[in-house]
Amino acid sequence: MSAIPAEQEPARRSRPREQVAAAVGLLDRPLTSYYLVLGCTVMLLALGLTMVLSASLVKQLQETGSAYTLLQKQAMWMVLGLPMMWGASRLPVRTFRTLAYPILLLSVAALVLVLFIGHTANGATRWIAFGPILIQPSEPAKLALMLWGADILARREKSGMLTEWRPLLMPLMPVAGVLVLLVMLGNDLGTTLVLLTIFLALLWVVGAPGRLFVGIAGLVSLLVAILIVVEPYRMQRLTGFLDPTQNQLTHNYQGTQGLYAIASGGLVGTGLGEGRAKWDFLPHAETDFIFAIIGEEFGLVGTLVVLGLFGLLAYAGLRIARRVRDPFTRLAAAGATAWLVVQAIVNIGAVIGVFPITGIPLPLVSYGGSALIPTLVALGMLLAFAKREPGARQALAARGPGPVSRALSWLGLARR
């Protein structure tokens, strides 16, 4: 072996440092958050559409005669949601603050309506039926609480009213309590946990005193414990989680089958469409347990990719919250990030057996339009906020019009 010349040795040692510096420089660019949110969203949507087809094709072929039934419905929701995401990404901050109030009122009215004419399935009354379409009002309630809570706390912060506990919690805590109560009357603990997460995230970001935050977190934990104890099927899920070796054919059946599916995937999986769990072994494979199908068909590599995408989404959302100057923008960005990331953690944790099963979907991946559209609107909001980071406007102006704007120009629908 020939020795490396002495004059080349320093250059060779400096290459890793240069590569690290280049990576750090890439993360420091003004539009990094924008492209991370956009890229992660597109990739998770594409993965979700693929996995909805793979997870549901056997059951849908048996029930409807077509393997593409749920794929077509999910694609329809996506076609509706993506323009809403694009529109939200172009809205000014004041529009989000204005929309918070009507969205909150509509969410409360819809949740009340569910109690009277709601559609019940799997022991929960969560949906309003419009012909063959089922709408779940608790999903837009997450968006409503996040926007309205951020606006209320931003007004309080601007006027210097957050030095005492009363302005900090009133009226945020009562309104969050009303939403939680209405959702719980429909037996939806999973959405309740997400609403409480948004509430706590807003208090944390606005700078609630540590003693007050710990006290509120303790009350929330006590409330969740009571909600579990008073409902027998929730207690069965909890005891099944604590002792997964028991009742594997009854209360622990879904969790056991999910673990079997992930374990059978190995490192690289069985291949797309080749999984066996969806052959009537794993209930709700296309919704709550779609991560198990990803693990079975794409293996450890596929699950790590999903975790990496949600990790990048969390980084981008927190980066936006840290870099923007407006209090509402900071609070709303942090609240939306907490909502999406915690929901993903709870869903994935339930599938792999580290959390009890709560029945909430994996954002952007699981089947369901009621969850998909508010999620896309929230991500569009993050894109709008990312454009307001320091230097982002100048970078966008230097980049020129995007493909959508160019297409509209060609059609004569936008100014050139």
Side-chain angles (χ1 to χ4, degrees):
M1 296 178 62
S2 58
I4 299 175
E7 62 272 11
Q8 295 183 11
E9 185 65 23
R12 183 184 177 212
R13 291 177 179 175
S14 66
R15 287 174 189 169
R17 297 177 184 175
E18 294 174 355
Q19 292 171 352
V20 171
V24 172
L26 184 64
L27 292 177
D28 283 338
R29 292 182 180 179
L31 291 177
T32 294
S33 303
Y34 181 87
Y35 287 122
L36 281 177
V37 172
L38 183 61
C40 291
T41 300
V42 170
M43 285 188 281
L44 286 170
L45 283 174
L47 175 66
L49 205 59
T50 303
M51 297 314 300
V52 165
L53 172 62
S54 180
S56 66
L57 61 89
V58 173
K59 184 177 180 180
Q60 293 305 308
L61 189 60
Q62 293 172 343
E63 294 182 353
T64 68
S66 171
Y68 304 103
T69 303
L70 290 192
L71 172 69
Q72 292 169 351
K73 291 181 179 180
Q74 187 75 350
M76 178 194 72
W77 289 116
M78 201 174 294
V79 168
L80 291 174
L82 285 174
M84 296 176 70
M85 174 182 167
W86 178 78
S89 71
R90 302 175 68 84
L91 292 177
V93 173
R94 64 179 180 274
T95 303
F96 290 107
R97 303 185 72 162
T98 303
L99 289 175
Y101 294 82
I103 293 175
L104 179 65
L105 292 174
L106 288 173
S107 297
V108 171
L111 287 171
V112 172
L113 194 61
V114 166
L115 302 179
F116 295 97
I117 63 169
H119 175 81
T120 302
N122 301 318
T125 305
R126 308 176 185 174
W127 301 271
I128 298 176
F130 295 93
I133 299 176
L134 295 177
I135 303 297
Q136 188 174 350
S138 59
E139 292 296 336
K142 302 171 186 176
L143 178 66
L145 179 61
M146 179 266 295
L147 289 175
W148 181 84
D151 181 64
I152 288 294
L153 291 178
R155 293 177 188 274
R156 296 284 196 274
E157 183 177 352
K158 187 176 182 180
S159 59
M161 298 173 60
L162 295 181
T163 56
E164 298 181 1
W165 68 270
R166 189 180 297 275
L168 194 63
L169 297 180
M170 302 295 175
L172 177 61
M173 189 171 182
V175 171
V178 169
L179 290 174
V180 166
L181 176 62
L182 291 173
V183 170
M184 280 310 305
L185 289 174
N187 285 329
D188 189 353
L189 180 60
T191 301
T192 298
L193 292 174
V194 177
L195 290 172
L196 292 172
T197 296
I198 295 171
F199 171 67
L200 290 175
L202 292 174
L203 290 180
W204 176 267
V205 174
V206 83
R211 186 175 300 178
L212 175 64
F213 184 84
V214 170
I216 296 297
L219 287 176
V220 167
S221 302
L222 179 62
L223 172 64
V224 172
I226 293 173
L227 293 174
I228 292 174
V229 170
V230 298
E231 192 67 43
Y233 83 92
R234 294 195 193 109
M235 276 300 299
Q236 291 171 354
R237 285 185 175 181
L238 180 60
T239 55
F241 165 72
L242 296 175
D243 189 2
T245 62
Q246 300 296 321
N247 302 316
Q248 293 186 353
L249 297 179
T250 54
H251 308 313
N252 284 342
Y253 178 78
Q254 187 181 29
T256 301
Q257 292 299 321
L259 291 176
Y260 285 162
I262 291 180
S264 64
L267 181 61
V268 295
T270 60
L272 180 61
E274 298 297 326
R276 291 168 289 183
K278 60 196 174 191
W279 288 79
D280 284 338
F281 291 106
L282 179 61
H284 308 295
E286 72 279 359
T287 53
D288 306 342
F289 270 66
I290 199 166
F291 187 76
I293 304 300
I294 295 174
E296 182 182 25
E297 299 189 353
F298 291 104
L300 177 63
V301 174
T303 59
L304 291 178
V305 168
V306 174
L307 291 174
L309 289 173
F310 279 110
L312 288 174
L313 195 59
Y315 169 78
L318 294 177
R319 185 179 188 267
I320 294 170
R322 182 176 60 86
R323 287 166 60 88
V324 293
R325 300 183 179 92
D326 176 56
F328 169 80
T329 306
R330 183 180 74 252
L331 287 163
T337 304
W339 156 21
L340 298 176
V341 173
V342 169
Q343 182 167 324
I345 291 172
V346 172
N347 175 277
I348 294 171
V351 173
I352 64 176
V354 299
F355 295 138
I357 298 173
T358 56
I360 60 175
L362 185 61
L364 299 173
V365 181
S366 293
Y367 169 77
S370 295
L372 180 63
I373 288 182
T375 299
L376 288 175
V377 172
L379 289 167
M381 180 197 71
L382 286 178
L383 291 174
F385 293 169
K387 295 176 184 178
R388 289 162 176 80
E389 290 186 33
R393 289 186 181 276
Q394 294 83 349
L396 284 170
R399 187 191 63 173
V404 176
S405 299
R406 289 197 298 269
L408 292 176
S409 279
W410 294 336
L411 295 172
L413 299 177
R415 288 180 292 180
R416 297 178 184 272

